[in-house]
Amino acid sequence: MLKILGKVCVAVTVCSGLTACFKEEPLNAECDIEKAWIHYEKPEECTWNLSDTIIEKVYTGVSDIQFKVKPGTDRSSVAPQFVVTEGAVISPASGTTRDFTNGPQEYTVTSQDGNWQRVYKVSVIEERRTVRDIINFDFERVDVYTDNVTKKQYYKWNDLKEDGTPANNWASGNGGFSISNPSAKLDEYPTISIEDGYDGKAVRLMTKATGPIAQAMNMRMAAGNLFLGEFVTESALINPLQSTHFGLPFDKKPVKFTGYYKYRPGEAFMDKYGNVEAGRIDEASVYAILYKNHDAAGNPVVLYGDNVQTSEQIVAKAILAEVRPTDEWTAFEVDFDYYGADIDMDILNTFGYNLAVVFSSSKDGAYFQGAIGSTLYIDKVSVICETTK
């Protein structure tokens, strides 16, 4: 009997030890929408491209989710569906039918542990054909934006569409700088707004030194940049070239790219390792690219920092060959050079091309090469398109 009791005691002890080892995993604290989509019975009649009905990846820094439909599409009874982070709960529930006619609807995602919430604004908006033949960017509409990832504030530009709604069109690398230099003040960022432009406000882009963490990763500088598209803050240090998503849907044939600039290169050009390249002068970038935003299989395409000027999707380029140093506002005008076949009107009329307009204070800034202090000013930019009847 004593032997049996001894074995039972050992068994209890072992079981108790195992129980101590198998502790419960903490509940998930994330509260993000990861994927979103809407459904129409005849999507080809409601959307310009079938891919407009689904957003495969909602980035962490994004709180505004937009679906684009053709004018006249019923938006009064749409039931968006979502994939959220593990264990999180979304309210209203995924698949709830709502009226998006008068603007965005809010969705609240609560984390599995119940301690965190995040509010998203979801819109179903009409994407209307562009009427005017000259698209002007004057950089007067600028706000102080709070980054959803870093919670830091920096400038962000947002033009209005022809119908008066926000275009949500301009992006910069300021989000990445907010990670590498978390103590930077508003006017210490690489891309800022200034009051004394060519006419009214303008944009100042300056190549800046980064902080200790970024420098340890051979990211010693951040060029001031501004572009039509989207910047993904959360991947800025992990995969910086993939953080810049260049271009937005466009439905006109551009023929000229114009504007005004001032430029002064910094004193010492450095490679990514911090070595000074004697005799090398930094250069700025001023260019526009038109490219197909779907591949042959119909999959969405976006250009990144490593292929924005080389992708086979590109159909036209307008590149200012020399941004010569000058302290005076200087006009530029560049023709769009088309490659291969002319514009496909069917693709153009369904927003199947993206237009990317890009400015950078250091031409090789995407590879963390340039001169700290290089400064480019930009104002009164226009894209002149082929006149349509």
Side-chain angles (χ1 to χ4, degrees):
M1 177 65 74
L2 290 175
K3 289 183 178 180
I4 294 174
L5 288 174
K7 289 180 180 180
V8 170
C9 290
V10 171
V12 170
T13 303
V14 171
C15 290
S16 299
L18 288 173
T19 302
C21 291
F22 293 127
K23 292 182 179 179
E24 292 186 2
E25 291 291 328
L27 297 177
N28 196 349
E30 295 179 335
C31 50
D32 300 325
I33 291 177
E34 298 181 333
K35 181 178 179 179
W37 67 96
I38 57 176
H39 173 73
Y40 282 101
E41 290 296 332
K42 297 181 179 180
E44 67 280 357
E45 296 180 0
C46 303
T47 59
W48 295 107
N49 291 285
L50 295 181
S51 59
D52 292 341
T53 62
I54 184 168
I55 301 173
E56 288 286 354
K57 181 175 177 58
V58 179
Y59 291 98
T60 303
V62 173
S63 291
D64 295 318
I65 298 174
Q66 293 186 346
F67 296 100
K68 297 177 181 179
V69 297
K70 292 180 179 179
T73 299
D74 180 19
R75 295 177 290 153
S76 66
S77 56
V78 184
Q81 298 185 67
F82 309 97
V83 173
V84 297
T85 45
E86 182 180 357
V89 177
I90 187 168
S91 178
S94 176
T96 301
T97 300
R98 306 184 76 182
D99 185 353
F100 291 86
T101 306
N102 297 315
Q105 295 288 336
E106 290 189 350
Y107 290 81
T108 301
V109 182
T110 303
S111 61
Q112 185 182 41
D113 64 10
N115 294 326
W116 303 95
Q117 286 189 330
R118 185 170 177 187
V119 177
Y120 287 83
K121 291 184 178 181
V122 179
S123 304
V124 181
I125 61 175
E126 293 183 331
E127 183 74 285
R128 298 181 179 275
R129 294 295 312 277
T130 306
V131 176
R132 60 181 184 266
D133 296 321
I134 300 178
I135 315 301
N136 296 313
F137 306 109
D138 59 14
F139 306 111
E140 298 296 327
R141 283 181 52 83
V142 58
D143 297 305
V144 176
Y145 171 78
T146 301
D147 193 289
N148 290 316
V149 176
T150 64
K151 307 305 178 186
K152 304 299 181 180
Q153 292 188 320
Y154 48 79
Y155 290 107
K156 191 168 185 178
W157 291 260
N158 185 6
D159 296 310
L160 293 179
K161 296 181 180 180
E162 291 177 341
D163 62 2
T165 59
N168 298 312
N169 52 348
W170 290 104
S172 74
N174 280 344
F177 194 77
S178 70
I179 298 175
S180 66
N181 290 59
S183 62
K185 297 180 174 60
L186 182 64
D187 287 325
E188 295 174 344
Y189 277 77
T191 306
I192 69 169
S193 177
I194 62 167
E195 296 293 333
D196 54 339
Y198 176 79
D199 180 15
K201 295 177 182 177
V203 183
R204 190 198 76 184
L205 307 98
M206 180 183 290
T207 303
K208 296 268 190 173
T210 57
I213 295 176
Q215 292 196 20
M217 301 169 67
N218 290 324
M219 302 176 183
R220 290 176 168 78
M221 64 188 69
N225 64 2
L226 186 72
F227 58 93
L228 291 180
E230 179 184 21
F231 185 83
V232 182
T233 300
E234 55 261 42
S235 62
L237 294 184
I238 302 169
N239 195 347
L241 290 174
Q242 299 289 307
S243 293
T244 46
H245 294 189
F246 290 108
L248 294 172
F250 200 63
D251 64 335
K252 288 280 189 176
K253 180 180 178 180
V255 294
K256 288 185 182 295
F257 173 44
T258 69
Y260 292 86
Y261 80 90
K262 295 192 294 185
Y263 182 62
R264 184 60 56 186
E267 293 184 2
F269 188 98
M270 292 188 296
D271 64 18
K272 65 180 294 185
Y273 303 105
N275 302 313
V276 175
E277 296 190 13
R280 184 172 177 181
I281 306 299
D282 201 5
E283 300 175 70
S285 280
V286 174
Y287 63 90
I289 300 290
L290 187 73
Y291 69 91
K292 292 181 180 179
N293 57 32
H294 287 76
D295 62 20
N299 301 307
V301 172
V302 66
L303 300 190
Y304 304 107
D306 54 358
N307 68 348
V308 65
Q309 291 194 38
T310 60
S311 171
E312 293 181 353
Q313 296 290 118
I314 295 172
V315 296
K317 299 178 184 180
I319 301 175
L320 183 59
E322 181 185 11
V323 185
R324 64 179 182 82
T326 174
D327 295 321
E328 302 293 330
W329 284 107
T330 302
F332 68 86
E333 180 177 305
V334 189
D335 292 334
F336 275 84
D337 293 325
Y338 283 81
Y339 304 89
D342 199 5
I343 288 289
D344 185 317
M345 295 307 295
D346 289 335
I347 295 176
L348 186 70
N349 290 334
T350 56
F351 292 91
Y353 293 101
N354 272 14
L355 176 69
V357 173
V358 185
F359 307 102
S360 177
S361 56
S362 291
K363 185 177 180 179
D364 294 326
Y367 299 94
F368 306 101
Q369 299 185 111
I372 292 172
S374 291
T375 307
L376 173 68
Y377 296 87
I378 291 292
D379 200 5
K380 293 295 176 291
V381 172
S382 297
V383 175
I384 301 171
C385 302
E386 190 175 77
T387 302
T388 54
K389 296 180 181 180

